[in-house]
Amino acid sequence: MELLNFILIFAAGWLVLRRPERERLAFGLLVASSLLMAALFLIGARGSILPGLNY
Amino acid sequence: MNRNTLYTILTAAVLALLIGPIGVAVFVLGFVHGDSPCVLCWAQRTAMVLVALTGLLIVRYGPRPRYIGMGVLISAFGVYMGLRHSSLHFARDVGQGFSAEILGAHTYTWSLFIFWVCLVMMGAMLLAVKDGEAAGEGPRELRPPGRAALWLFLLAVAANMVQAFASTGPPPFMGQGDPVRFSFNPRNWVWSTEEWRPSPVSLRGRWAIEKPDVALAPADPAGSPLAGVPAMTVSRRAKLALPLNGPVTDLAYDAASDRFLLTTHNGVYLTDGTLGRVIRHTVVDVGYSVDLARFSAAAFLDSRTVLAMAENKSYVVLRESDQADAAANYRYFLESPGAFQEASRSRLTTVRAKMMYVMAAAFDPAASALYTVTVPNAASKRLVVSRFDRRDMTLAEEFSPALAEGGPLAFKDGAGSLDGFYPTAAEFHEGRLYVLSAAYSTLLVIDPVRRTVADARVVPGLSKPSGIAIKGGELLIVTEDGALSWAH
């Protein structure tokens, strides 16, 4: 899944560099990648969503 | 700040992010040293790349509010990720951590700092933007530094794609909790879907420990894991008739002064040798400084010094005084600020008992040692005796007692456990630690030298016992509601 995320990011970067008129798509890819990144982290941290500290 | 200055600073920041944490992580730590990110590290690294992409969007299209908003959101989530990830290792001994370290700090702790710097930089740049300037423009023609930053960005992302493919594989495979070291050799690649497996979702994880409750302990001795435990004889029963401010939480006795010590959830009471009259008392402000929560244990440290301990192993040491400055003591006490001087208020730290509360404590004056005994909880079922040195109140020893070999005790099924006992009271007497368990209404006699349970007795007719004391060869038991029993 991390590979998929970097593919999305690469595509966004490529659009910014080579197809700057596709700004909306590049930004959409940024948002999608951010959501995927957060989801992957929360999947990995679901055993304790809050930091594992003495509350 | 004019636009060109803003773009120059942003380009420099993106380059720093790419050459620094992102580049070092993938090229140096990954490709050179074989370090592989865990599933949480991958998300943190991805977030850094996304922050860099946000900066490049601004460089290309101008400071549109949605770019700034995304940058702040990703960085804020990055701070959370850094704290959440680092918290797995914050409390370890010095130098211990997970995987590689940079400049003496492990990689996941650096991310906390990096995302915080990103937030600070964004705030500083927003301060420098004039009213109405936070708006976009058509795609700008990139200057050489901006173009270089974008090419470098693509190179760094491509390198991460290579590492992600080797370390985590294509979807649906994803990062692992304990990844193997990176290799370009496919024979060494491990692709896993372990993180997709169903597992409990929790807010606080292992730290969600329920508070102790004596009412949860099964009092019936028939449920005890020990076989044939003889019963004590209760010679007398009575009821406390003292003006206490709540249920009794512990009892201790000092033979030298022939006085008893009683505690309630926040009260400390010294009584005469008959438990008929309160000689001196105070009510501690348990919310001042150290959180003393609810007193559950008490002990005489000497004839004029007492200790009251909370379930969370925080404690206060009080010294009797007739010259106490009531005005100065306002901060410590809710009642009778002139009756005691507070000598110390602090916390005991344990290792084996770390995730368990205590309801029993006893003091051995000969060895100047304080003992605590744990109560089990849903996550940790273990009887742990902790010994602390009185001089520095630091842990000196911890053990889980076993049955004494060749002793009078045996488990019913031959291989039972003492972990179901629920100690709510303790007393040290003549080299033995006497521990009363509300579960199975059983008194355990622990030999602290051999770390064994040398003997045990059932105490009939007990309900919610909270304290014990030994006076004149008799065991005195008090319950939460003030019922007294003398047993031998």
Side-chain angles (χ1 to χ4, degrees), chain A residues 1 16 20 23 46 48-49, chain B residues 61 67 80 84 173 197:
Chain A
M1 298 303 294
V16 173
E23 183 272 340
R46 65 188 179 281
S48 176
I49 302 295
Chain B
Y61 302 103
Y67 299 157
Y80 155 72
R84 165 64 180 79
F173 298 109
R197 288 181 193 158

Side-chain angles (χ1 to χ4, degrees), chain B residues 328-411:
Chain B
N329 282 345
Y330 170 80
R331 69 181 64 190
Y332 304 121
F333 305 115
L334 300 176
E335 287 182 19
S336 309
F340 291 92
Q341 276 299 130
E342 181 169 311
S344 62
R345 183 184 294 224
S346 190
R347 309 164 183 93
L348 297 174
T349 302
T350 59
V351 179
R352 290 183 175 90
K354 189 177 186 70
M355 304 307 286
M356 286 182 278
Y357 289 102
V358 299
M359 298 185 77
F363 185 65
D364 172 11
S368 198
L370 178 73
Y371 288 90
T372 61
V373 192
T374 58
V375 289
N377 56 61
S380 302
K381 292 183 173 60
R382 195 174 180 192
L383 183 68
V384 179
V385 177
S386 306
R387 178 169 62 85
F388 303 85
D389 193 322
R390 167 75 178 95
R391 286 168 297 187
D392 55 8
M393 296 299 261
T394 299
L395 185 66
E397 177 191 25
E398 276 186 322
F399 63 92
S400 291
L403 292 189
E405 280 189 32
L409 299 175
F411 290 115

